[in-house]
Amino acid sequence: IANDSPRTLCDRLGTSMVTIQSPFPEDLARSLRTDGQANVRTTKEDVRIEDVSRESAVALVSSILERHGTIISSIAIKQPTLDDVFLSLTTEALSS
């Protein structure tokens, strides 16, 4: 169970996150990990790179599009929400 203010819970996931939709999410996630992205998580809906600083987010998106653009349907930079916190916590609990 997570017990803290909503802002603090969201801040645990970093200041920004990159979400990517692809018809091949597992392949994309594996490739991103190979490229050195440590905080890659795959959901049913997308691939997420968590804990991305605001300063590096645009450069990261540009790099991802350059390298993997042919298998990306959508890409966005967003701030984590409580839904993202819930997903992160429940995924961690299931993998433990």
Side-chain angles (χ1 to χ4, degrees), residues 14-76:
T15 57
S16 297
M17 89 173 28
V18 176
T19 59
I20 310 163
Q21 293 183 337
S22 170
F24 312 105
E26 293 296 332
D27 294 338
L28 178 59
R30 188 172 24 264
S31 183
L32 289 168
R33 286 184 194 102
T34 300
D35 291 348
Q37 295 302 320
N39 297 322
V40 177
R41 179 185 312 268
T42 306
T43 70
K44 289 182 179 180
E45 300 163 357
D46 55 26
V47 176
R48 298 170 180 225
I49 303 173
E50 299 173 347
D51 199 16
V52 177
S53 72
R54 287 186 178 107
E55 296 79 20
S56 65
V58 173
L60 176 60
V61 167
S62 177
S63 172
I64 291 169
L65 285 171
E66 185 176 310
R67 182 163 164 88
H68 307 285
T70 58
I71 61 168
I72 293 175
S73 312
S74 169
I75 189 166

